[in-house]
Amino acid sequence: MTGCLALNASFEPLTVLPIRRALRLVIDRKAEVLEVDRTRVFRSEKRELACPSVIRLVRYVHVPRKFRRQVTNTFLFARDGYRCQYCNRHKSELRGREFLTRDHVLPLSLGGDNRWENVVTACSACNNRKGSHLPSEVGMHPLHPPHEPNYVELVWAVRRITLVQAKYIRMFYGEDVLRALQSS
Ligand SMILES: [Zn+2]
């Protein structure tokens, strides 16, 4: 059974909630209903309610990152727009046997780790060239400082979203991220 997609006040998709919890937020006036699943009703002891499929929090909440999700290449590449962060070539511009890889800005051999802030997309050629050097040693700095994307929280939730819910994720994050979420 699909849950309810919860958006922040900014329309940023946050997570998928059980229907019961989503209804609680609506009844307490902490969220407004944006979309209703007309094929389902929620029955409590007292009443029947239309099932919300997308709700939006009335007030913006800052979501603390409690868990550090593992970085998969699917999401790493999507975060970086499928572009090498050193030569800026898109996946589609790579030649013959080149491919996208994960580069550790601070190399693993020098104590680097796999957190979002230390990994970037690199083509195999750039990755080989950088090797296990520091960016400053070889003059190779990522085009965009790596950071953890907010949609990571959604990875575990979107496996069974509806088309209507997918629309809201696409609106906020774009088609690439939606596809990465759905194929991970
Ligand atoms: Zn490159």
Side-chain angles (χ1 to χ4, degrees), residues 78-112:
R79 180 197 69 180
D80 295 339
Y82 302 92
R83 282 186 181 277
C84 172
Q85 291 301 293
Y86 296 108
C87 69
N88 201 30
R89 283 186 304 163
H90 187 260
K91 185 182 177 183
S92 61
E93 299 171 79
L94 300 183
R95 285 187 298 263
R97 300 205 170 165
E98 293 177 334
F99 52 96
L100 292 182
T101 68
R102 168 188 306 218
D103 176 65
H104 299 86
V105 180
L106 176 62
L108 292 173
S109 59
L110 298 175

Side-chain angles (χ1 to χ4, degrees), residues 67-84:
F67 308 105
R68 289 260 165 205
R69 303 290 194 201
Q70 226 192 341
V71 182
T72 63
N73 279 352
T74 307
F75 281 97
L76 179 63
F77 299 164
R79 180 197 69 180
D80 295 339
Y82 302 92
R83 282 186 181 277
C84 172

Side-chain angles (χ1 to χ4, degrees), residues 161-179:
I161 52 169
T162 64
L163 287 174
V164 171
Q165 293 172 333
K167 185 182 78 182
Y168 283 85
I169 293 175
R170 186 187 299 112
M171 264 172 19
F172 199 87
Y173 288 124
E175 186 68 37
D176 279 353
V177 167
L178 175 64
R179 245 185 274 140

Side-chain angles (χ1 to χ4, degrees), residues 45 51 62 81 91 94 115 136 143 178:
E45 307 87 75
C51 259
H62 176 74
K91 185 182 177 183
L94 300 183
R115 287 180 308 129
S136 55
L143 296 169
L178 175 64

